[in-house]
Amino acid sequence: MRDATLCVHHPVVSEEGYAGLGVPVHRASTIVYPDADAFLNRAERGVDGYTYGLNGTPTTRTLEAQLTHLHGGARTIIVPSGQAAISMVMLSVLLPGDRVLIPDNAYPPVRTLCMDHLAARGIDHTVYDPMIGAGIAALIDERTKLVWIETPGSGTMETPDVPAIIAAARQRGVLVGCDNTWATPLLFKPLAHGADFACEALTKYVGGHSDLLLGSITVADTALHQRLRKTLSELGIGVSPDECSLALRGMQTMALRLAHVGRLSEDFARRLVGTPGVETVLHPALPSCPGHENWKRDFKGSSGVFSLVLAPAARARMATALSDLKLFSIGASWGGTHSLLAPMEIAGIRTGTPWPHEGPLLRVSLGLEDADELWDELAGALRRLAD
Ligand SMILES: *Cc1c(COP(=O)(O)O)cnc(C)c1O
């Protein structure tokens, strides 16, 4: 071979005796076939086979298989973000004329997706009270094709009665998707309760280090998996194996990280009850939190995210009280090693059920810093918010 060819065709070295513990990063657009016939007949490889980089490489498949095992499902698909996991489910299931039911505590971009993107394409939505339980049956009509659940809800932390909602939907042959980002499959497994789609923002606890964006959809039914794969490949959606490799690394420590922040968040939440300026602590492990009984029945524990409803006067003090923090950063996308605070306004988002609180909400995501230092800084910020 001449130099230019040698530059292109790398030598194949022996892998004999080589074994590592990490998952190799397989990057590919082209998948090479043994002969022309294999290429011409590549559709026969099916959705699980390797046909083109967009549809996955062994790195992606490893992450998919790991999530499938954790969820007790049949297949998982990795998508570019948690929001993409939600939109891909909706786009593969819903057609013009159909309706989706979404909870009032949904991750806010879900509502925008329904209001702007889906509505413009003839798919409408109804917003339901997350505490509706079996009452959801009254909202299901012949146009309803999907019920969306988020548990606990983004920011506001209500834990719905998932088994009751799923039972009502299944009785009418309606599919159910569940955003399980707060719990991860370590604390709650939606498929075990009969959900058709378990969605996760891997961006949060699986990635675990605030440096990647990925989402996953796990299903128990291979027909749904094929439907999703077809949608993704037609829309041209795939993920980078480098991102998957980071998620695989994050997953290694997820159980330990989650156990730590879960214990801490429950401890902080209990200690914060009655703090001046904190009107309500919204943490599913507290009996005062809507859906606490559902959480106790269905969940194995807590993660590190909860919210505080502050007194209305805190609004004017938010900027100064949260400035110059050393440990807590201000920002969205929780679940990393760094602790975060995010001020939120809920009343204007809600359309199904009036939000009963007047003050602003402060979402807390606990990270892995020293627990006493975190407590001191949070307590100090709350004092400044109160007076
Ligand atoms: C963050 C989040 C998402 C979206 O995840 P991205 O990867 O940021 O798109 C979806 N659902 C919930 C509950 C989330 O917290």
Side-chain angles (χ1 to χ4, degrees):
M1 286 185 196
R2 297 197 176 149
D3 283 357
T5 308
L6 282 171
C7 286
V8 175
H9 291 256
H10 65 77
V12 176
V13 300
S14 167
E15 291 187 13
E16 197 189 327
Y18 171 78
L21 291 170
V23 180
V25 179
H26 292 280
R27 298 190 189 92
S29 52
T30 301
I31 303 287
V32 177
Y33 294 77
D35 54 47
D37 273 350
F39 178 66
L40 288 168
N41 299 321
R42 62 192 179 281
E44 289 172 6
R45 294 187 174 192
V47 293
D48 289 328
Y50 299 113
T51 50
Y52 187 53
L54 190 69
N55 305 323
T57 73
T59 311
T60 348
R61 292 282 193 273
T62 307
L63 179 58
E64 290 176 353
Q66 200 164 9
L67 288 160
T68 298
H69 289 144
L70 280 166
H71 271 290
R75 292 288 188 288
T76 296
I77 289 178
I78 309 293
V79 294
S81 68
Q83 175 67 5
I86 300 163
S87 68
M88 286 304 114
V89 169
M90 294 196 178
L91 291 176
S92 48
V93 164
L94 301 169
L95 292 171
D98 291 346
R99 173 174 296 150
V100 55
L101 307 184
I102 62 167
D104 217 2
N105 60 0
Y107 176 63
V110 175
R111 197 185 289 264
T112 325
L113 169 72
C114 292
M115 288 193 310
D116 297 346
H117 195 88
L118 298 184
R121 286 158 181 79
I123 298 162
D124 73 17
H125 67 281
T126 301
V127 177
Y128 70 86
D129 175 355
M131 300 317 298
I132 198 169
I136 194 120
L139 298 181
I140 296 175
D141 60 14
E142 65 289 346
R143 294 174 58 197
T144 309
K145 295 289 153 38
L146 178 69
V147 174
W148 193 252
I149 297 176
E150 186 172 320
T151 181
S154 267
T156 52
M157 298 292 151
E158 307 92 332
T159 306
D161 188 344
V162 176
I165 293 175
I166 291 179
R170 287 185 85 90
Q171 205 186 6
R172 302 284 293 272
V174 174
L175 293 166
V176 178
C178 182
D179 186 332
N180 196 46
T181 301
W182 184 87
T184 84
L186 296 176
L187 303 179
F188 184 68
K189 297 185 198 292
L191 300 185
H193 291 273
D196 299 284
F197 304 94
C199 290
E200 307 268 346
L202 306 179
T203 308
K204 310 284 170 60
Y205 283 119
V206 173
H209 296 77
S210 312
D211 56 2
L212 69 89
L213 287 150
L214 280 179
S216 66
I217 309 161
T218 305
V219 294
D221 174 0
T222 49
L224 287 179
H225 172 246
Q226 300 209 356
R227 202 151 136 198
L228 282 164
R229 271 264 173 260
K230 190 163 149 55
T231 305
L232 256 74
S233 108
E234 286 165 359
L235 294 179
I237 304 216
V239 297
S240 154
D242 294 274
E243 303 289 288
C244 291
S245 161
L246 285 174
L248 283 160
R249 172 182 284 228
M251 182 104 78
Q252 307 256 311
T253 55
M254 180 168 71
L256 279 174
R257 286 186 282 109
L258 210 55
H260 174 75
V261 295
R263 264 195 311 273
L264 208 60
S265 80
E266 290 186 11
D267 177 48
F268 276 29
R270 291 198 181 98
R271 289 162 71 188
L272 287 167
V273 173
T275 299
V278 175
E279 298 206 332
T280 310
V281 180
L282 298 171
H283 190 302
L286 296 185
S288 57
C289 192
H292 166 72
E293 293 303 323
N294 298 328
W295 174 83
K296 219 165 101 182
R297 183 190 61 200
D298 299 335
F299 284 63
K300 270 201 179 145
S302 298
S303 68
V305 178
F306 64 101
S307 295
L308 306 170
V309 179
L310 305 175
R315 221 166 245 127
R317 301 177 186 136
M318 200 69 85
T320 37
L322 300 188
S323 63
D324 294 330
L325 298 177
K326 301 279 182 294
L327 307 182
F328 283 92
S329 304
I330 313 289
S333 206
W334 37 266
T337 56
H338 290 247
S339 295
L340 297 180
L341 293 176
M344 299 167 78
E345 290 292 346
I346 303 298
I349 306 177
R350 295 254 162 169
T351 57
T353 42
W355 180 239
H357 306 284
E358 268 183 49
L361 189 136
L362 186 64
R363 189 179 60 196
V364 182
S365 170
L366 295 177
L368 303 184
E369 301 93 340
D370 180 83
D372 294 333
E373 287 187 339
L374 284 177
W375 174 262
D376 289 346
E377 191 170 80
L378 183 59
L382 292 172
R383 271 195 302 277
R384 290 194 294 280
L385 284 162
D387 55 42

